[in-house]
Amino acid sequence: MFPQSPLLLLLCAILIPLPSWTLPFEQKGFWDFGIDGDGGGMTMMMMRDEEEGSAVEELPSPDVPMCPFGCQCHLRVVQCSDLGLSAVPKNIPADTKLLDLQNNRITEVKENDFKGLSNLYALSLVNNKIAKVHPRAFTPLRSMQKLYFSRNLLTEVPKNLPSSLVELRIHENRIKKVPEGAFAGLGRMNCIEMGGNPLQNSGFEPGAFKGLKLNYLRISEAKLTGVPKDLPDSLHELHLDHNQIQAIELEDLSRYKNVYRLGLGYNQIRMIENGSLTFVPNLRELHLENNRLSRIPGGLPDMKYLQVVYLHSNNISRVGINDFCPQGFGMKRTFYNGISLFANPVNYWEVQPATFRCVSDRLAIQFGNYKK
């Protein structure tokens, strides 16, 4: 046997890893596992972790934030979408600003699911199976401004929403009733999207929107037969398309003098009572496409700021020379830049050119061909 050199023994000692040098395994993201087709990548990683001591025995240092398993955490954004989750995950970092939980199988939001997330700004729960929300689930979210709750199984507006909330999207649920005070304490709310719910006019109790100063409200794809009463008078945009509204009566728009974009397309409107549009003097854009109108609504020439009118796919058979433009010069503050009349039983060659004297460009007029 050859004598062992002291230098060789020193080299061997250096090359042998000591337990105190090993670091715990830290998962940076879901794809760091390097899983191949047969799972060999994960197996090799697990074997290497065991040889190095693994994180089972050593906990991460306190300054390293945790991330829910399978999620990706980066720059205070926690993305846990499309993971098949049945519940809100644990160990969400306390400094999270945006939490994405969409496209999962979550069925319930529990009281402590968001405990400690006082810095959260936006929460997405879109496309889950949530039917139940604890009344105190959102209490910790004192800074949340955006809540996306669409495509779930809610039967009511969640209770005790944070007073900091600015935007709420709860469309495509099963909400049939909005009781008085449903949005109480939400004075900062600016936008509500609640279309795609089986809401009838009777589903809105008096005072349902009390205290709100909304700019934007959409109740499309519901079961409305008329313009709902007592909506916020602060509205700038009101979208009621894809309902069953049959007429616009004189007082229907009387509260909404600030509206500049009004969506009434894809309804069953046959009549717009004369004088109805005088209540919305600041209107810029009017959607009446895909209805059953037989003539151009009265009052359009008096709309000083109206720029876009959608009237295609109706039953309009005649367009008069003064249907769009005022007779006096300078009465209209802005010219039209879009008028759609296609898919109506009106012959464009029968419409006098002067009819569109207040249109910015002839290309802004869309006639097309009518087919029964």
Side-chain angles (χ1 to χ4, degrees):
M1 180 176 294
F2 296 100
Q4 294 182 344
S5 167
L7 179 60
L8 180 60
L9 291 173
L10 179 61
L11 288 173
C12 292
I14 292 174
L15 293 175
I16 297 174
L18 297 177
S20 62
W21 293 354
T22 60
L23 294 175
F25 169 66
E26 178 183 348
Q27 182 188 343
K28 298 290 186 181
F30 180 72
W31 300 112
D32 288 350
F33 284 121
I35 304 174
D36 54 23
D38 57 4
M42 179 180 284
T43 303
M44 293 298 295
M45 181 68 74
M46 294 173 65
M47 292 174 61
R48 191 179 71 183
D49 291 340
E50 290 176 0
E51 293 172 358
E52 295 179 355
S54 189
V56 175
E57 297 177 359
E58 296 185 36
L59 297 175
S61 58
D63 58 337
V64 179
M66 300 185 69
C67 186
F69 179 78
C71 303
Q72 298 186 37
C73 303
H74 183 62
L75 297 177
R76 294 185 291 181
V77 175
V78 177
Q79 184 176 8
C80 303
S81 60
D82 301 276
L83 295 177
L85 301 175
S86 58
V88 176
K90 307 296 182 183
N91 300 323
I92 299 172
D95 64 346
T96 300
K97 285 284 189 179
L98 191 155
L99 177 57
D100 183 3
L101 293 167
Q102 64 181 323
N103 302 330
N104 281 291
R105 300 173 184 172
I106 301 171
T107 58
E108 179 182 357
V109 177
K110 300 177 182 178
E111 180 176 5
N112 296 318
D113 278 349
F114 306 118
K115 186 177 181 180
L117 301 182
S118 59
N119 296 308
L120 194 68
Y121 172 81
L123 171 62
S124 177
L125 291 161
V126 175
N127 197 28
N128 276 276
K129 301 180 183 299
I130 300 171
K132 184 179 180 181
V133 180
H134 193 280
R136 292 189 293 274
F138 299 116
T139 301
L141 308 180
R142 297 188 297 270
S143 302
M144 186 168 68
Q145 295 189 27
K146 298 179 183 291
L147 175 58
Y148 303 134
F149 227 130
S150 307
R151 301 191 189 101
N152 276 282
L153 305 176
L154 298 176
T155 57
E156 61 179 2
V157 178
K159 293 182 173 62
N160 301 319
L161 294 171
S163 60
S164 58
L165 206 60
V166 173
E167 181 178 344
L168 174 64
R169 298 185 181 270
I170 49 175
H171 57 280
E172 294 185 53
N173 276 277
R174 298 180 179 180
I175 300 172
K176 292 184 178 181
K177 183 179 179 180
V178 182
E180 179 183 3
F183 303 105
L186 301 178
R188 300 180 184 178
M189 185 79 77
N190 180 63
C191 167
I192 294 181
E193 160 68 86
M194 56 190 312
N197 284 288
L199 281 163
Q200 300 179 357
N201 287 72
S202 59
F204 296 98
E205 290 188 357
F209 295 93
K210 185 178 180 179
L212 289 179
K213 300 294 183 182
L214 295 180
N215 286 331
Y216 179 101
L217 177 61
R218 182 185 291 273
I219 316 176
S220 59
E221 300 177 85
K223 296 183 177 181
L224 303 178
T225 55
V227 178
K229 309 296 182 185
D230 299 327
L231 299 179
D233 57 9
S234 58
L235 285 172
H236 289 167
E237 293 192 40
L238 176 58
H239 299 271
L240 302 173
D241 44 291
H242 290 274
N243 276 285
Q244 302 166 19
I245 300 173
Q246 299 180 11
I248 304 298
E249 298 179 355
L250 185 61
E251 301 294 327
D252 282 351
L253 303 174
S254 60
R255 288 175 52 86
Y256 313 123
K257 62 181 181 180
N258 296 310
V259 166
Y260 64 76
R261 182 173 290 123
L262 179 60
L264 293 166
Y266 293 87
N267 276 280
Q268 302 171 19
I269 300 173
R270 297 178 181 272
M271 183 271 296
I272 298 179
E273 191 170 350
N274 287 335
S276 299
L277 296 178
T278 62
F279 291 106
V280 284
N282 297 308
L283 201 63
R284 266 75 168 172
E285 188 171 319
L286 176 60
H287 290 254
L288 286 166
E289 71 275 13
N290 287 86
N291 276 284
R292 299 178 182 179
L293 295 172
S294 58
R295 62 185 181 90
I296 306 296
L300 294 186
D302 300 323
M303 310 296 293
K304 295 181 179 180
Y305 303 101
L306 190 60
Q307 299 176 34
V308 178
V309 184
Y310 291 89
L311 289 165
H312 56 270
S313 301
N314 276 279
N315 297 320
I316 299 170
S317 58
R318 181 183 177 278
V319 178
I321 193 171
N322 295 317
D323 278 350
F324 291 100
C325 302
Q327 298 184 45
F329 179 77
M331 295 180 63
K332 189 166 176 60
R333 302 289 179 87
T334 57
F335 278 14
Y336 289 101
N337 54 43
I339 296 177
S340 68
L341 285 163
F342 64 89
N344 278 289
V346 57
N347 298 320
Y348 67 87
W349 57 84
E350 295 178 355
V351 180
Q352 299 186 38
T355 302
F356 304 112
R357 58 190 177 275
C358 59
V359 179
S360 59
D361 189 284
R362 63 184 180 86
L363 296 178
I365 306 165
Q366 299 180 10
F367 259 108
N369 295 322
Y370 174 71
K371 295 181 180 180
K372 286 188 177 182

